[in-house]
């Protein structure tokens, strides 16, 4: 089971405080020590649970699971010139024809990068959408596309905080 926590962005002081609050309140982990890998992905020094963070101007999301997880969210109304981005990465094959189609695919792409703990520069050109390592869970919530990437099929429980 993957827990996805969400809140309006203005209710979240900062990422580390939100993570520590969630880990304490929902998992009984007091005084969590959060570090970052060489690509900036936060992780818990003690290992489990694993988590991934994403935020937009409006919303803040955290996915927490007993296994590695990646999460990304994008507002549906985001403006982006996507054709040049798609041409750089084989993940976008076939190339989306509309911005919303691209944004939905982008959340999968970025959630896979986060799942791997890597970076767009390092891993982006190696990722394929149909890679058997990835299991994507796609959602639309509050005018956002959201994707959770894991290495195994799972279900999501939504928790507002």
């Amino acid at each position: 089971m993957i827990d996805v926590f969400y809140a309006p962005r203005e209710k979240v002081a900062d990422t580390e405080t939100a993570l520590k609050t969630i880990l304490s309140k929902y998992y009984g982990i007091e005084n969590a020590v959060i570090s970052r890998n060489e690509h900036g992905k936060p992780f818990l020094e003690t290992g489990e649970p694993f988590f991934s963070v994403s935020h937009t101007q409006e919303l803040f999301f955290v996915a927490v699971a007993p296994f590695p997880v990646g999460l990304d969210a994008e507002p549906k109304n985001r403006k982006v010139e996507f054709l040049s981005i798609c041409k750089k990465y084989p993940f976008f094959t076939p190339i989306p024809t509309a911005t919303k189609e691209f944004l939905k695919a982008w959340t999968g792409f970025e959630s896979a990068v986060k799942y791997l703990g890597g970076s767009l520069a390092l891993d982006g050109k190696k990722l394929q959408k149909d890679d058997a390592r990835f299991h994507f869970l796609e959602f639309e919530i509050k005018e956002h596309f959201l994707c959770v990437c894991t290495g195994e099929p799972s279900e999501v429980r939504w928790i507002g905080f």
Side-chain angles (χ1 to χ4, degrees):
M1 175 69 70
I2 302 165
D3 292 333
V4 176
F5 297 86
Y6 61 96
R9 182 77 186 270
E10 67 268 9
K11 291 191 175 192
V12 177
D14 62 80
T15 300
E16 189 161 326
T17 300
L19 285 170
K20 287 182 175 187
T21 299
I22 289 167
L23 291 169
S24 173
K25 183 175 180 180
Y26 295 92
Y27 301 95
I29 300 171
E30 300 296 331
N31 305 310
V33 178
I34 298 169
S35 296
R36 292 185 179 271
N37 73 11
E38 64 273 16
H39 306 293
K41 180 180 170 93
F43 66 93
L44 196 56
E45 280 288 327
T46 57
E48 291 183 22
F50 297 91
F51 57 85
S52 185
V53 177
S54 186
H55 57 79
T56 66
Q57 288 184 334
E58 298 87 18
L59 296 171
F60 181 86
F61 298 95
V62 179
V64 182
F67 41 79
V69 63
L71 165 78
D72 190 49
E74 294 291 340
K76 290 181 178 181
N77 65 354
R78 180 177 174 195
K79 305 288 186 235
V80 61
E81 293 295 327
F82 62 88
L83 289 178
S84 62
I85 296 170
C86 292
K87 290 176 183 175
K88 287 181 6 184
Y89 302 110
F91 189 89
F92 299 101
T93 304
I95 292 177
T97 58
T99 303
K100 285 187 178 183
E101 182 185 359
F102 166 75
L103 290 171
K104 192 172 183 181
W106 178 264
T107 62
F109 177 65
E110 193 156 336
S111 70
V113 170
K114 290 179 177 183
Y115 163 74
L116 294 172
S119 71
L120 291 177
L122 182 65
D123 298 307
K125 293 187 179 181
K126 300 181 220 171
L127 296 181
Q128 300 285 332
K129 194 181 308 183
D130 59 357
D131 188 320
R133 294 177 296 171
F134 305 134
H135 293 272
F136 296 106
L137 301 164
E138 297 176 326
F139 305 95
E140 294 183 28
I141 180 170
K142 298 184 184 265
E143 294 302 311
H144 285 68
F145 293 117
L146 186 132
C147 187
V148 177
C149 180
T150 68
E152 56 193 80
S154 191
E155 294 181 13
V156 167
R157 176 173 51 184
W158 296 91
I159 305 168
F161 76 102

